Amino acid sequence: MNNTYKWIQKVAFLCFAVILIQSPLKAERTIQKYDVVVYGGTAAGVMAAIGAKKSGATVILLSPSIRIGGVTTSGLGWTDIGNPAAVGGLAREFYHRIFLYYQKDGAWKSSDRQNYENQLHGIYRVKDSLMWTFEPHVAAYVLNRMLQENGVKVKTDVKLARSRRPIMRDGKIVAINTVRGDTYQASVFIDATYEGDLMAVAGVRFTVGREANAEYSETINGVEKALSIKNNLPRGVDPYKIKGDQKSGLLPGINKSTGGEDGTRDNKLQAYCYRICLTDDPSNRIRVAKPAGYDPSDFELVVRATRLGENRLWKLSGLPNRKIDANNDCGISMDAIGYNKGYVEASYKERAEIANKHRYWTLGLIWTIQNDPRVPDVIRKKFGIWGLPKDEFKDNGHFPYALYVREARRMVSDYVMTEKSVLNGSAENSIGMGAYVMDSHNTQRYITAKGDVQNEGDVQIP
């Protein structure tokens, strides 16, 4: 009996030991020290990490995503740029490397370099050994090469433990914790996420949504019906499930009102979207299928808008090799207006669910425009040639990895950037340069006094 008991004890101990050895938390719980920790695998994070490494610091780049580059490697290939002179340093080096890549004959598989360059216009023309347009996989290649050449250590799929406050000393971060249980110590931490997650857990003051005009003596903040002109629905679009029948209920995504007068505060965010890459090359094109769970009512506004004359639907911004950056281009387009509600404070799982809703909108929009017989033939023909590229995002159903998070948290510090900062075009102790219009996208759809549906929130000011 004693021998049997001892044998059971040994087996139990060995099983417990195996469990400990195989436990991912125990195996991966480490403390790593660097001069600089960059959290966020966006293009900005890549540049910050390289810049710190070039200055002689020990650096690690932690990316919550399994891919680095953010939207730069996820479809935003038609650079949003106002004045090329504002782009310098490592960013300029990136665009120079894009230029060098496309100088090679082997880079052109579906189109000719000279013919493509002849199609570019204005500031997008290839000159000064810079190129502002590129395919997603080329951006990924260039950014990864820059990281490798500079010896930057990179870890992907590393998520900050947002429920745990970082280790602080005298108001400064000295260590952060990850979901896996690892701890990273550093003298300097850089938050390069779109969401400002590290900033938030460190206790930095921030705001979400639109301030009232009165808060900073502005004129175009808060609710903004008056300026929502460029990217709006045609007038006369009926908001009800059954046209003219209020009892049938509102179509999805429409509010009864804007929720406040112009200039008042709210917590709404400008719409997110996917900067989806499409191609018209039959040899590289995959037709967009009707997404799972497709509900025609979700896209009824699309059909009604086209029947009232809307014919833009999405941008046809040309990228190399017969591809496009199909960005939002009108009042009913790639922007999934209202779908980002709750995104900022959502858990990682909830954010993934919100991103999937945006994916559903994107694919459903394309399928509807290309296949719904109620969409005018001329529109179906114009947009029906586009599909997903076989050579992009191969392990993600040829769909972009990163959601275009246009805004999330905004830091409130000693200095707050307002409309005056932008319109005056100058700032004391400037730390960076930029050039573009004031470009805020719509936040919601609502019923007007006339009884039709319109968008609210779009601001486009030079």
Side-chain angles (χ1 to χ4, degrees):
M1 188 72 177
N2 283 340
N3 288 337
T4 302
Y5 179 74
K6 288 180 180 179
W7 180 80
I8 292 173
Q9 279 186 314
K10 287 180 180 180
V11 171
F13 175 79
L14 286 171
C15 289
F16 180 67
V18 169
I19 291 171
L20 283 179
I21 291 170
Q22 292 182 341
S23 169
L25 284 179
K26 292 290 183 181
E28 297 181 20
R29 185 169 292 162
T30 59
I31 298 176
Q32 300 185 43
K33 299 180 180 180
Y34 298 88
D35 295 326
V36 178
V37 169
V38 180
Y39 180 67
T42 60
V46 171
M47 297 303 168
I50 293 173
K53 191 68 166 60
K54 282 180 175 290
S55 72
T58 57
V59 184
I60 187 167
L61 174 62
L62 305 177
S63 172
S65 170
I66 61 173
R67 296 288 183 276
I68 63 100
V71 290
T72 301
T73 56
S74 275
L76 203 164
W78 183 270
T79 304
D80 292 330
I81 184 170
N83 183 351
V87 182
L90 291 170
R92 197 172 185 86
E93 180 183 338
F94 169 80
Y95 291 108
H96 175 59
R97 286 176 178 240
I98 293 291
F99 165 81
L100 293 176
Y101 182 94
Y102 285 111
Q103 291 301 299
K104 303 172 184 176
D105 292 338
W108 298 90
K109 298 178 175 61
S110 298
S111 58
D112 175 79
R113 178 174 66 85
Q114 196 59 56
N115 286 339
Y116 173 73
E117 290 185 9
N118 290 339
Q119 297 171 18
L120 296 173
H121 57 274
I123 60 175
Y124 288 95
R125 289 196 183 97
V126 179
K127 61 180 180 179
D128 300 326
S129 298
L130 300 169
M131 188 167 173
W132 307 102
T133 58
F134 47 83
E135 298 161 274
H137 74 272
V138 174
Y141 168 79
V142 170
L143 288 178
N144 278 297
R145 284 288 297 170
M146 292 177 73
L147 287 166
Q148 292 165 7
E149 290 172 11
N150 287 280
V152 176
K153 187 174 182 180
V154 179
K155 281 193 174 183
T156 60
D157 196 20
V158 177
K159 293 180 172 61
L160 181 69
R162 292 162 54 201
S163 60
R164 295 179 60 188
R165 189 175 173 88
I167 301 170
M168 310 283 289
R169 186 177 299 126
D170 299 325
K172 183 179 179 181
I173 305 174
V174 295
I176 61 173
N177 305 294
T178 69
V179 170
R180 291 178 181 172
D182 297 329
T183 298
Y184 292 88
Q185 297 180 359
S187 300
V188 174
F189 288 85
I190 296 175
D191 187 340
T193 62
Y194 294 130
E195 296 84 1
D197 283 341
L198 179 55
M199 173 185 78
V201 298
V204 175
R205 187 182 169 203
F206 64 86
T207 187
V208 176
R210 301 181 288 185
E211 298 96 344
N213 276 331
E215 188 162 349
Y216 295 110
S217 299
E218 296 180 286
T219 63
I220 51 174
N221 213 334
V223 178
E224 195 56 73
K225 289 185 293 185
L227 291 176
S228 301
I229 300 172
K230 179 183 176 183
N231 293 306
N232 220 320
L233 292 161
R235 296 312 303 256
V237 176
D238 191 289
Y240 300 105
K241 292 178 181 178
I242 300 175
K243 289 183 179 181
D245 183 1
Q246 295 186 22
K247 293 182 180 179
S248 68
L250 292 170
L251 287 168
I254 302 175
N255 300 327
K256 291 182 179 179
S257 71
T258 59
E261 297 300 319
D262 277 15
T264 56
R265 176 179 176 80
D266 67 15
N267 62 357
K268 295 181 178 67
L269 298 168
Q270 59 176 310
Y272 298 172
C273 74
Y274 278 99
R275 291 289 285 257
I276 192 166
C277 181
L278 301 175
T279 182
D280 67 347
D281 179 1
S283 66
N284 192 35
R285 179 183 59 200
I286 300 171
R287 291 292 183 184
V288 172
K290 182 191 293 187
Y294 180 89
D295 184 344
S297 68
D298 291 332
F299 305 94
E300 179 63 24
L301 281 179
V302 178
V303 176
R304 293 182 186 181
T306 61
R307 297 187 70 82
L308 285 174
E310 183 55 75
N311 60 8
R312 291 173 292 173
L313 286 314
W314 64 71
K315 288 186 178 178
L316 304 173
S317 304
L319 307 179
N321 288 310
R322 293 179 65 173
K323 295 174 185 173
I324 58 170
D325 174 351
N327 191 19
N328 192 79
D329 195 31
C330 63
I332 187 82
S333 183
M334 292 296 178
D335 280 2
I337 297 175
Y339 278 49
N340 57 8
K341 184 178 180 180
Y343 177 86
V344 175
E345 297 297 341
S347 66
Y348 291 120
K349 180 182 178 181
E350 290 167 338
R351 284 183 181 175
E353 291 170 352
I354 292 172
N356 281 333
K357 290 179 181 178
H358 283 76
R359 179 176 179 141
Y360 164 77
W361 170 262
T362 307
L363 296 175
L365 172 80
I366 296 171
W367 188 89
T368 300
I369 292 169
Q370 294 181 339
N371 295 279
D372 194 308
R374 297 173 298 162
V375 173
D377 290 343
V378 65
I379 294 176
R380 278 190 288 150
K381 183 177 180 180
K382 176 182 177 181
F383 292 96
I385 61 176
W386 301 103
L388 303 174
K390 294 178 183 177
D391 61 349
E392 300 287 356
F393 319 117
K394 295 179 181 179
D395 57 353
N396 197 44
H398 308 282
F399 194 87
Y401 304 111
L403 180 64
Y404 190 2
V405 177
R406 286 191 170 91
E407 69 162 323
R409 299 181 180 93
R410 298 194 307 283
M411 180 170 63
V412 178
S413 188
D414 299 331
Y415 179 85
V416 174
M417 192 168 170
T418 69
E419 69 179 67
K420 294 179 182 177
S421 311
V422 179
L423 295 176
N424 290 343
S426 62
E428 293 182 15
N429 305 316
S430 64
I431 59 170
M433 295 181 69
Y436 205 59
V437 298
M438 296 175 71
D439 178 5
S440 294
H441 286 223
N442 287 298
T443 65
Q444 63 180 324
R445 293 194 169 102
Y446 70 102
I447 302 176
T448 72
K450 294 181 179 180
D452 61 355
V453 58
Q454 287 283 277
N455 298 334
E456 182 274 316
D458 190 63
V459 176
Q460 304 288 331
I461 298 177

